[in-house]
Amino acid sequence: MPKAAFTTLGCKVNQYETQRILESFEEAGFQVVPFSESADVYVINSCSVTSSAESKSRYTIRKATRNNPSAKVVVTGCAAQMSLNKAEAIEGADVVVPNPEKLRALDYLYRAFPEMANWVAAEPHAAPPVLVGRTRATLKVQDGCSVMCSYCSIPYTRPGLVSRPATDVLDEASRMADLGYRELILTGVLIGAYGPDSGSGGPDFETLVEQLARVEGIERIRISSIEMRQVTPRLIELIQSGLVVPHLHIPLQSGSSQVLRDMNRPYTKEDYLALCDRLYADIEPMSITADIMVGFPTEGPAEFADSLDVARRARYLKSHVFRFSPRHGTPADQWGDPVPDAEKQVRSLALAEVGRETAAAHRKRFLGQIHRVIVEGKTTSEGLLEGLTDNYLEVRFAGSPSLKRQVVWVRLDEDRDGYLLGEIETSGPRFEPRTRLLPVR
Ligand code: SF4
């Protein structure tokens, strides 16, 4: 049986798409093997968000050819699209699939190597294995971005807004529930832009979320990332009602209103903080996570101090800090890269330090409370079970492995480095979602 191996760089949208490509290979008769093993085909879903992501993408291609020098290497994703845009070859790639076409990677492979199609067809097909063991599934609902942040290449690699038809999304959600997934993580490049204007077939984003929450077997809906302008009063209502978990990942990128303007991001420091304050005031127990960029060309010490200030006041549970690097063809490319790497490193460390402080303070707010946890499995080091609360706190506790994928209630007893230690509780006041379902609209 021909073997195929897959790897993903970058965001949750890419991860979801790799899973879909993988399924198409499985259905065609390929055996999926780990990327570190020898395979006949390697599929790399690349990322171009930073120059380091691009270098990692290139390194991964080299790794594939080292694993099996005669394998066919298929490259897709944002870094692949950037190369296609520039008409540049990608060293080591046998097939380059344009980003919007990536779910047809198998067709591209067969077109380039027809003998491969014959070989696969000649092999007896095993039924694709049922996905087991995971509790959370990523579900992509939207693609493309129109914000045009001045540093970002995504509007060039994923042009145009595309919403998946709601019927497709709901069918896939039911299939995932049947496979045993309990939590859906909704992803999209600009998820709040989901709607009828870009092909949803009717519903807007909030209505789609309500419909997904009614899918039998799904316990939780989480949104992987949403722009602050797209956190609507209706979305806040959905969180308050318990249909969406009380956790939002809201990219900040910079705490300086001037830098945000230079980035072409449509909000100010004050807008962002006002939204965080509102979420904390209206939703208990709310958690907020974010991405923050350091070293944008117009970020001086005063502007960076604004980022530190917002990071403190937004009280993030987690923040992903990344460094600016000029992306070819973007407006920010013309400003060069004046902030030295050493200074970017100092700023990253400073934000990471604030992040550790706010995360620990945030976790401690919930000590003594009983929260709903979906059990992910055992931690390897301590033999404890681990899982996430609705508001994204990592929790570890003793219990039977048979509880995997089950909903349990855990009293949060002790803050450890990065997670909370707790105990399963069968009684006591709990953070129940207020109402499980809103009336059908
Ligand atoms: S919102 Fe900005 S950073 Fe995010 S994908 Fe769109 S253009 Fe890129």
Side-chain angles (χ1 to χ4, degrees):
M1 201 172 181
K3 292 179 182 167
F6 299 79
T7 196
T8 314
L9 293 107
C11 62
K12 286 219 164 67
V13 174
N14 257 14
Q15 286 168 20
Y16 167 84
E17 289 165 342
T18 304
Q19 181 61 33
R20 293 284 303 275
I21 301 169
L22 179 153
E23 285 166 8
S24 70
F25 273 69
E26 272 183 341
E27 274 164 28
F30 281 85
Q31 180 192 349
V32 176
V33 297
F35 200 81
S36 52
E37 288 184 11
S38 175
D40 303 294
V41 181
Y42 290 93
V43 180
I44 295 145
N45 197 358
S46 66
C47 173
S48 66
V49 72
T50 57
S51 59
S52 115
E54 234 169 11
S55 319
K56 267 191 209 147
S57 301
R58 280 195 297 274
Y59 169 77
T60 310
I61 296 169
R62 287 198 297 276
K63 204 161 115 194
T65 42
R66 269 202 309 273
N67 289 350
N68 178 8
S70 60
K72 308 289 180 256
V73 177
V74 180
V75 185
T76 187
C78 292
Q81 185 63 46
M82 289 295 270
S83 302
L84 287 172
N85 292 352
K86 290 187 263 172
E88 268 177 15
I90 301 177
E91 204 187 319
D94 297 302
V95 181
V96 180
V97 183
N99 212 21
E101 293 278 284
K102 63 168 67 160
L103 298 187
R104 296 181 46 231
L106 188 62
D107 295 343
Y108 275 78
L109 174 72
Y110 285 170
R111 213 177 300 151
F113 301 102
E115 71 281 7
M116 196 125 221
N118 298 336
W119 177 31
V120 175
E123 293 287 327
H125 288 193
V130 173
L131 299 168
V132 287
R134 302 277 305 278
T135 59
R136 303 190 286 152
T138 304
L139 179 55
K140 179 180 153 187
V141 302
Q142 184 276 340
D143 204 343
C145 188
S146 56
V147 179
M148 304 297 286
C149 297
S150 62
Y151 54 84
C152 180
S153 57
I154 287 178
Y156 311 95
T157 58
R158 293 177 178 270
L161 297 176
V162 182
S163 300
R164 286 181 67 197
T167 46
D168 286 6
V169 175
L170 289 162
D171 284 352
E172 191 171 347
S174 298
R175 191 168 63 88
M176 286 168 163
D178 290 346
L179 285 171
Y181 288 107
R182 313 299 297 271
E183 176 174 325
L184 295 180
I185 304 169
L186 308 186
T187 70
V189 180
L190 187 66
I191 201 163
Y194 184 91
D197 294 345
S198 52
S200 74
D204 56 19
F205 179 57
E206 291 85 350
T207 307
L208 176 78
V209 169
E210 277 194 59
Q211 292 173 349
L212 285 167
R214 292 173 208 282
V215 170
E216 190 69 37
I218 295 299
E219 289 284 341
R220 276 180 182 166
I221 304 282
R222 196 179 296 281
I223 297 165
S224 73
S225 178
I226 188 160
E227 287 293 313
M228 74 142 286
R229 286 278 178 226
Q230 297 177 327
V231 180
T232 59
R234 218 172 122 214
L235 181 60
I236 294 176
E237 257 178 43
L238 290 174
I239 301 174
Q240 288 173 318
S241 71
L243 290 187
V244 176
V245 292
H247 161 228
L248 288 177
H249 182 90
I250 311 171
L252 170 68
Q253 309 311 17
S254 172
S256 152
S257 298
Q258 179 56 52
V259 172
L260 287 167
R261 232 189 333 269
D262 296 340
M263 288 176 164
N264 198 32
R265 290 182 62 79
Y267 54 90
T268 63
K269 170 181 181 178
E270 290 70 30
D271 295 335
Y272 189 94
L273 284 171
L275 174 67
C276 294
D277 287 346
R278 172 163 183 206
L279 291 169
Y280 286 127
D282 288 358
I283 301 165
E284 182 62 27
M286 185 72 200
S287 293
I288 301 174
T289 56
D291 303 314
I292 313 174
M293 179 188 282
V294 293
F296 189 77
T298 59
E299 183 189 82
E303 289 76 22
F304 176 64
D306 276 330
S307 289
L308 281 177
D309 185 37
V310 176
R312 272 193 203 97
R313 290 163 64 187
R315 295 176 270 152
Y316 294 128
L317 171 61
K318 277 195 179 130
S319 47
H320 170 63
V321 179
F322 67 107
R323 299 170 197 195
F324 169 81
S325 55
R327 307 284 66 217
H328 176 80
T330 59
D333 195 15
Q334 63 189 321
W335 296 324
D337 194 8
V339 180
D341 280 349
E343 178 58 25
K344 287 181 189 160
Q345 167 79 350
V346 168
R347 293 181 190 176
S348 302
L349 291 174
L351 272 172
E353 182 56 33
V354 168
R356 271 192 294 280
E357 286 165 19
T358 58
H362 188 71
R363 286 193 304 270
K364 284 183 183 141
R365 279 188 54 217
F366 304 104
L367 287 177
Q369 296 179 358
I370 299 171
H371 281 244
R372 188 169 84 129
V373 172
I374 299 184
V375 182
E376 296 272 341
K378 271 196 170 189
T379 64
T380 43
S381 53
E382 296 160 295
L384 296 172
L385 296 178
E386 66 182 346
L388 288 173
T389 62
D390 289 354
N391 66 339
Y392 211 54
L393 305 172
E394 283 179 45
V395 182
R396 297 184 188 174
F397 47 97
S400 155
S402 64
L403 290 173
K404 188 166 178 174
R405 293 176 161 203
Q406 305 294 312
V407 174
V408 295
W409 292 87
V410 177
R411 195 187 57 241
L412 310 177
D413 289 332
E414 196 183 323
D415 181 42
R416 294 282 180 92
D417 194 18
Y419 65 93
L420 290 163
L421 200 59
E423 204 169 305
I424 293 182
E425 254 310 339
T426 47
S427 59
R430 304 160 160 191
F431 265 105
E432 293 265 15
R434 261 210 329 229
T435 48
R436 185 59 196 140
L437 291 180
L438 294 175
V440 180
R441 277 170 200 270

